[in-house]
Amino acid sequence: MPLVYQQNINESTKMAVWHIAEEEDFFLAQVPLQKNISHRHKRLQHLAGRLLLKEMFPAFPVALIQVADTKKPYLEDEPFHFSISHCGDYAAAIVSTAYRVGVDIEMVNDKIGILQKKFLSDAEMKMLNAQCLMTNDPMTNNPMTNDPMTNDQCLTLCWSVKESVFKWWGKGSVDFKRGMVLQSVQGDHTEGKLHCLFKNETELVVHYLSFNNNFLTWVLTAH
């Protein structure tokens, strides 16, 4: 069973990642396909995400999942708060009985720089350059040795952080550049957290973990 990562975040919240290596029948024997998806791999991602929910909370009523107009999956009356993400051969999910949650998984992308100005401000880039990007020692012109990130890693992480916050919000209509402002980074290229100001009023802490050239990011707040 390729459950490659699981974390009990607190007494009411769990998160996990599944590496998709099975055929469709494996998933269909355990969870339903709830919508018509023509692309085979997207069907596998859909099914793996829902299986993760039951892996973490066996009582999770997967068949009762609904999808809002904003495309956020939810349960009526919210006995569980949850978020699902897919990327390549991975599916990730976070579930809580008490907290509002968001999760995202992204593969490091060398084309992410093309979108940089659409989701990061100049002030955010200045902060990132100072706190997490790989820079050269001015004396030797060699890379610094404090486990910094490459530009592609940093930008992919920031995109993933804002995707997690977007899913946490769940109501759509958020400007990624102005509505989610990254203020600081604590950590290195393997794990850490970013502080994000949402809509100039809510301070969020978004955690991250790196594995197999992917970033997993998640956020939770009291409901």
Side-chain angles (χ1 to χ4, degrees):
M1 180 185 298
L3 186 65
V4 294
Y5 180 76
Q6 184 166 356
Q7 178 181 348
N8 294 336
I9 295 173
N10 55 43
E11 69 283 352
S12 61
T13 310
K14 299 179 180 180
M15 181 177 62
V17 177
W18 189 284
H19 182 223
I20 303 169
E22 301 82 4
E23 294 299 324
E24 199 168 316
D25 289 347
F26 169 85
F27 296 105
L28 288 173
Q30 302 174 77
V31 292
L33 183 66
Q34 292 182 281
K35 59 182 180 179
N36 184 24
I37 304 173
S38 59
H39 192 283
R40 173 184 171 276
H41 195 68
K42 291 188 180 298
R43 286 199 306 273
L44 289 172
Q45 290 177 329
H46 173 94
L47 292 166
R50 279 151 175 73
L51 182 56
L52 271 176
L53 301 176
K54 291 189 70 68
E55 285 291 323
M56 290 184 282
F57 287 90
F60 195 103
V62 172
L64 299 181
I65 292 176
Q66 301 182 50
V67 180
D69 292 341
T70 59
K71 298 185 179 180
K72 177 181 174 63
Y74 71 98
L75 292 171
E76 192 171 353
D77 299 325
E78 296 190 306
F80 294 96
H81 309 287
F82 68 100
S83 179
I84 304 171
S85 181
H86 322 100
C87 183
D89 291 332
Y90 290 96
I94 186 171
V95 186
S96 181
T97 57
Y99 294 86
R100 185 173 169 183
V101 295
V103 72
D104 187 65
I105 186 168
E106 298 285 343
M107 180 179 291
V108 175
N109 186 346
D110 61 5
K111 303 293 192 300
I112 190 70
I114 298 172
L115 301 175
Q116 174 182 326
K117 291 189 177 297
K118 292 186 176 182
F119 68 93
L120 289 174
S121 67
D122 291 342
E124 286 174 305
M125 281 308 305
K126 183 177 180 180
M127 178 276 293
L128 294 167
N129 280 325
Q131 296 186 16
C132 74
L133 276 171
M134 183 176 289
T135 56
N136 287 347
D137 186 315
M139 298 296 292
T140 66
N141 204 35
N142 293 322
M144 303 290 275
T145 58
N146 58 341
D147 290 331
M149 298 182 199
T150 66
N151 190 63
D152 292 341
Q153 287 175 325
C154 184
L155 294 179
T156 301
L157 171 61
C158 292
W159 174 259
S160 184
V161 164
K162 294 194 176 189
E163 279 285 336
S164 282
V165 172
F166 182 75
K167 293 176 182 180
W168 163 88
W169 171 241
K171 299 177 183 179
S173 301
V174 180
D175 187 316
F176 271 45
K177 190 171 182 177
R178 297 174 180 84
M180 310 176 199
V181 179
L182 304 180
Q183 298 181 307
S184 65
V185 183
Q186 294 174 270
D188 57 23
H189 67 285
T190 61
E191 62 181 335
K193 57 188 178 182
L194 283 84
H195 294 262
C196 177
L197 182 62
F198 181 74
K199 291 195 168 185
N200 291 318
E201 59 185 32
T202 305
E203 294 184 359
L204 300 172
V205 178
V206 186
H207 295 262
Y208 70 89
L209 183 69
S210 174
F211 68 96
N212 293 347
N213 206 37
N214 291 270
F215 277 109
L216 174 68
T217 60
W218 66 96
V219 60
L220 66 156
T221 61
H223 185 62

